[in-house]
Amino acid sequence: MERVAILGVPMDLGAGRRGVDMGPSALRYARLAEELEALGLAVEDLGDVRVPVAETLRRKGLRFGGENYLEEIRQAALELKERLRSLPEGVFPIVLGGDHSLSMGSVSGVAKEPLGVVWVDAHADFNTPETSPSGNIHGMPLAVLCGLGHPRLTEAFQAVDPKRVVLVGVRSLDPGERRLLREMGVTVYTMHEVDRLGVARIAEEVLERLSGLPLHVSLDADVLDPTLAPGVGTPVPGGLSYREAHLLMEILAQSGQVQSLDLVEVNPILDERNRTAEMMVGLTLSLLGKRIL
């Protein structure tokens, strides 16, 4: 890998709190491109996918929650999917969010062949309209990618075999998600397993399970402990530590299998001096080969 393409998705329509639409700017301000170039990579920033402003949609009578923004989210994710599909071979895309609903477009956009997905998140994002307590679409993208959910979304974005999906760092699940994850055969490492087994063993098991597949890593800032990453809309205590998160990225990097990345749910409104965006940039560098020695 020598070439990286950065593409922003300034979207908060799938979330329950405003602010993650400013995440791409915060990540750029944290010198993502410059730090990647310092690793010897050629970086091109492709700008942002077009996303409607929530205030404009409200004038049309739409509101947050439920499925009111489904078509607008679908359209933004479709544009992301098509832009990723058009990238030349050998380019490593980094998608900047934005809420996690954008991953419907990013994963389906890079899934030109059988793909393994490593979903690093405090939440499973495996709800459907029937199981979701809030109706917010950022809690549904992984289910959609596995073929569950609203038909307007699954017909456009179903892209992965659930048995080729691994979640790491989960510590907040809705009852319906627990049932669906078991039924679909998704592998889940909760924080219980992180505490008991350790990150190194989990990372090795993930790579063994997804052996031979190109990998997409979807990294949600709320997987980190909120003391490290306060700038998230849905913080959950007891997350990954600084070294646990970096070690996970380092081991995934050593496999040579990772071919694409999402950085999502950074909310600068809730952050402290851009700490969360800076932490996510550091993890990106570890995933793309930065080493201590």
Side-chain angles (χ1 to χ4, degrees), residues 97-239:
D99 72 66
H100 220 155
S101 61
L102 67 84
S103 294
M104 296 185 295
S106 62
V107 176
S108 60
V110 299
K112 300 174 184 178
E113 57 184 315
L115 181 75
V117 175
V118 184
W119 200 270
V120 188
D121 197 331
H123 309 87
D125 298 341
F126 215 76
N127 271 305
T128 65
E130 293 73 31
T131 66
S132 173
S134 69
N136 293 327
I137 293 177
H138 77 155
M140 304 180 189
L142 188 54
V144 169
L145 288 164
C146 292
L148 300 175
H150 196 289
R152 287 286 291 163
L153 299 178
T154 56
E155 68 186 8
F157 304 116
Q158 181 178 357
V160 296
D161 180 343
K163 293 181 173 58
R164 292 174 173 159
V165 174
V166 181
L167 292 97
V168 179
V170 174
R171 54 193 187 278
S172 177
L173 289 170
D174 295 316
E177 288 182 300
R178 293 189 180 96
R179 175 179 57 81
L180 291 174
L181 288 165
R182 293 191 187 102
E183 289 178 357
M184 298 296 284
V186 178
T187 300
V188 182
Y189 291 96
T190 69
M191 285 306 298
H192 173 81
E193 283 76 39
V194 172
D195 292 340
R196 187 166 62 87
L197 302 176
V199 162
R201 177 173 165 185
I202 287 173
E204 290 161 0
E205 290 183 2
V206 169
L207 292 173
E208 182 178 356
R209 174 171 289 274
L210 302 177
S211 176
L213 294 170
L215 299 183
H216 176 89
V217 174
S218 195
L219 178 59
D220 189 317
D222 69 23
V223 76
L224 299 162
D225 193 82
T227 58
L228 298 173
V232 298
T234 50
V236 185

Side-chain angles (χ1 to χ4, degrees), residues 3 32 83 188 289:
R3 301 166 61 195
L32 174 62
R83 291 186 67 176
V188 182

Side-chain angles (χ1 to χ4, degrees), residues 230-245:
V232 298
T234 50
V236 185
L240 294 181
S241 71
Y242 180 93
R243 273 308 308 159
E244 285 172 334

